[in-house]
Amino acid sequence: MTEQQKHFPEFYVTAPQACPYLPGRLERKLFTHLTKEKPDTLIDNLLRGGFRRSQNIAYMPYCEGCHACVSVRVVVDGFTPGRTMRRVTERNRSISAARCRPEPTSEQFALFRRYIDARHADGGMADMTVLDYAMMVEDSVINTFVTEYRAKPEGALDSDPETWPLTAAALCDLLSDGISMVYSFYDPEADHASLGTYMILEHIAYARQLGLPYVYLGYWITGSRKMAYKMRFQPLEQLGPNGWVPHPGD
């Protein structure tokens, strides 16, 4: 491998396969490998410029004739939660959030499997093993962390939250201008708690605490009901041919 290959990305394109979000369409991805030899600024620019990370691969949609996938990010300083979101925060006021190193645990995997089996049993992650999960969490060359959310049992001591049961977790990357939420999962039996919404709200608050202007939510997909929830976190910006611009809303 030449020095140029070590420090600059080589891009590849996947073969067409069925789109998991829009029935009847095919998807392809443009991707590159992330290695320790790649400059940190290059990787940061990729992830701020529309690429998503899965382990040590950065990828983005590369679908012929389709531009439904749009990168979106929440503008932290402009975000004000509405009444419904304030209720979600209040509903989860007894949850303790802790930032952890990207080190997989058996407790995380057990929760992850319950979530996948209940919500995405026919998806691409349905067959993930404990080894696959470990690689998803720890295989990263950048600043990655896990936020663990633990629910306080009745009668438990406030001073001992690390003993509370794990109810949700979010794998995130820390970028130069924000937090990129890579993947999150939660107790599928806790629908009433709106934990998916709560985790985004909590990371917006954390980004504000760190002085970071954005929380990256990945792709919003035109016509996909699964991605409609992202529109609730306004103001939202989308990445277009001329850079990041305000998203017009759904």
Side-chain angles (χ1 to χ4, degrees):
M1 181 180 291
T2 67
E3 286 301 311
Q4 183 176 10
Q5 289 174 319
K6 287 182 180 179
H7 291 88
F8 293 93
E10 292 184 312
F11 293 98
Y12 308 89
V13 178
T14 63
Q17 58 184 1
C19 176
Y21 297 103
L22 300 177
R25 299 195 191 183
L26 297 176
E27 71 163 2
R28 302 183 78 181
K29 291 185 175 72
L30 179 72
F31 71 95
T32 186
H33 296 281
L34 305 178
T35 63
K36 293 181 179 179
E37 290 80 15
K38 300 289 190 300
D40 292 342
T41 52
L42 184 148
I43 297 175
D44 188 70
N45 285 335
L46 286 173
L47 299 181
R48 290 189 298 113
F51 280 81
R52 296 290 287 169
R53 186 184 68 81
S54 176
Q55 298 174 216
N56 280 325
I57 290 176
Y59 69 90
M60 69 186 310
Y62 196 71
C63 308
E64 184 176 353
C66 180
H67 304 284
C69 295
V70 179
S71 295
V72 293
R73 65 187 186 185
V74 181
V75 181
V76 171
D77 284 346
F79 176 78
T80 301
R83 182 170 59 181
T84 300
M85 289 185 177
R86 292 196 300 271
R87 287 176 178 170
V88 170
T89 299
E90 175 63 19
R91 196 179 302 137
N92 292 286
R93 66 186 182 281
S94 63
I95 285 182
S96 173
R99 317 298 166 194
C100 308
R101 293 175 55 83
E103 297 173 349
T105 67
S106 58
E107 188 181 26
Q108 289 173 11
F109 180 68
L111 179 63
F112 171 80
R113 279 287 5 147
R114 294 207 318 271
Y115 172 77
I116 292 295
D117 292 343
R119 296 300 182 87
H120 304 287
D122 58 349
M125 304 177 92
D127 296 327
M128 283 183 64
T129 65
V130 64
L131 179 59
D132 296 327
Y133 176 77
M135 293 178 64
M136 181 178 80
V137 172
E138 65 187 5
D139 198 5
S140 172
V141 298
I142 63 172
N143 192 343
T144 297
F145 64 93
V146 176
T147 303
E148 290 188 342
Y149 298 89
R150 297 184 177 276
K152 181 182 178 182
E154 186 175 350
L157 297 176
D158 289 342
S159 60
D160 205 16
E162 65 271 12
T163 65
W164 301 354
L166 184 69
T167 193
L171 178 67
C172 299
D173 293 334
L174 189 62
L175 307 183
S176 62
D177 67 351
I179 295 171
S180 175
M181 299 191 70
V182 177
Y183 194 77
S184 59
F185 52 94
Y186 53 86
D187 183 352
E189 297 182 0
D191 277 340
H192 63 284
S194 302
L195 290 169
T197 296
Y198 175 71
M199 283 189 280
I200 296 176
L201 291 171
E202 199 276 332
H203 278 89
I204 292 173
Y206 184 47
R208 183 175 284 121
Q209 177 185 332
L210 296 178
L212 297 172
Y214 305 110
V215 171
Y216 291 80
L217 298 183
Y219 301 116
W220 173 74
I221 302 174
T222 306
S224 173
R225 294 179 60 186
K226 293 181 180 179
M227 297 297 174
Y229 72 91
K230 298 180 182 183
M231 292 300 99
R232 301 200 300 265
F233 298 90
Q234 299 289 340
L236 205 63
E237 291 185 346
Q238 68 178 41
L239 184 61
N242 297 316
W244 290 96
V245 297
H247 192 287
D250 191 9

